[in-house]
Amino acid sequence: MNILIEDAETQKFLASEGHWTSKPGEGASFVTTRAALAAAKREPIGKFNIVRYFADTEQFINIQHGSAKGG
């Protein structure tokens, strides 16, 4: 299970600072939703989702959403 940041508009996942990927398995995984939320707010994106991704079943659970214009 991974906690990921998804750009709600592009549906891409934060891979590393400033880099995004369409493959959830390449997304940066966070230990807690709080850490993911803090990181998302630093990114220069609009709306975002904090999701849990289960690689073995390729399922997502949307945990939280918000908006940010960090950077």
Side-chain angles (χ1 to χ4, degrees), residues 4-8 10 12-21 28 30 35-50 66-71:
L4 307 174
I5 299 170
E6 176 190 41
D7 184 316
T10 65
K12 290 188 177 184
F13 303 94
L14 180 65
S16 61
E17 294 290 324
H19 294 91
W20 295 83
T21 180
F30 294 86
L37 183 61
K41 289 188 174 189
R42 290 191 302 267
E43 290 297 318
I45 57 176
K47 294 180 180 180
F48 64 84
N49 298 310
I50 305 297
S67 60
K69 283 290 183 184

Side-chain angles (χ1 to χ4, degrees), residues 14-34:
L14 180 65
S16 61
E17 294 290 324
H19 294 91
W20 295 83
T21 180
S22 58
K23 299 177 182 177
E26 296 176 1
S29 183
F30 294 86
V31 177
T32 65
T33 56
R34 178 176 278 168

